[in-house]
Amino acid sequence: MADMMSKISAGIERAFASRGFAEPSVEDLRDAAGVSLRTLYKYTPSRADMVLAALENRHQRYLLHVFDGLPDDTEEATDAILVRVGTWMATETSHGCLFHAAVAADPNSGPLRELLERHKAEVASRAAAATGVVEAEAELLVIIEGLTQAWPLRGDPAVDAAKRLGHALRVSFV
């Protein structure tokens, strides 16, 4: 059962990431998930559930991509996190944060807003722990979010700028 949910979540995440939240029809999402319409609705009974499942899948993948196997050295970890965010932007989406896009598409959805807040809080917490500046969660999140928003406009130079900001932050807090 968990394997089927993972398959569905991964497929619909790809569809939403490449086409946005408004464009893909339920049939498109079914095709992306590689399941029957009945199976899609069994695991995700509404379009809102489909969006949440896709974002939960993305949340887990993002955390693994950015934070798994970081260097023990906190300065190296800082650079690695920011480089990995840039790589994520280059390979997974070049349009900005999918979580923010989902909330923008349905601004009155409490569950979407809660998922966005949980995702960002976990990113900030993990970044602070990995970089050794636990008192700078908010600042680290601003740097990561800034990189996410600047990457579509600047690409790799945005990563370099974020790394400089990360180093300056470490100097001011360590």
Side-chain angles (χ1 to χ4, degrees):
M1 192 167 205
D3 288 345
M4 181 58 71
M5 187 62 190
S6 294
K7 175 184 176 181
I8 291 169
S9 297
I12 58 180
E13 178 203 339
R14 285 189 303 274
F16 286 135
S18 66
R19 298 176 60 193
F21 291 98
E23 184 184 329
S25 67
V26 172
E27 290 75 17
D28 294 333
L29 297 174
R30 174 205 61 207
D31 293 346
V35 297
S36 69
L37 198 56
R38 180 180 178 149
T39 300
L40 179 64
Y41 277 119
K42 176 182 175 183
Y43 286 88
T44 53
S46 69
R47 187 174 184 93
D49 290 325
M50 293 175 199
V51 171
L52 289 170
L55 290 175
E56 187 60 48
N57 189 72
R58 191 165 189 92
H59 170 69
Q60 297 303 324
R61 286 189 333 101
Y62 183 85
L63 293 177
L64 279 173
H65 175 81
V66 173
F67 298 107
D68 194 44
L70 286 172
D72 291 332
D73 179 80
T74 55
E75 192 164 334
E76 289 177 22
T78 303
D79 284 351
I81 289 167
L82 298 169
V83 166
R84 291 174 183 190
V85 170
T87 302
W88 178 271
M89 294 302 297
T91 59
E92 297 292 330
T93 181
S94 60
H95 309 295
C97 176
L98 197 62
F99 293 88
H100 283 293
V103 170
D106 189 0
N108 296 319
S109 171
L112 276 179
R113 221 169 253 294
E114 289 170 17
L115 181 56
L116 168 68
E117 289 173 12
R118 180 170 55 89
H119 172 69
K120 299 304 181 180
E122 191 161 350
V123 168
S125 174
R126 288 190 180 203
T131 61
V133 285
V134 293
E135 63 278 4
E137 270 189 29
E139 291 86 347
L140 284 164
L141 184 61
V142 168
I143 292 170
I144 292 168
E145 287 295 292
L147 173 54
T148 301
Q149 294 305 312
W151 196 93
L153 301 171
R154 301 285 190 233
D156 289 334
V159 174
D160 295 335
K163 286 166 57 176
R164 286 190 300 276
L165 290 170
H167 288 280
L169 179 69
R170 287 187 43 70
V171 168
S172 67
F173 276 90
V174 175

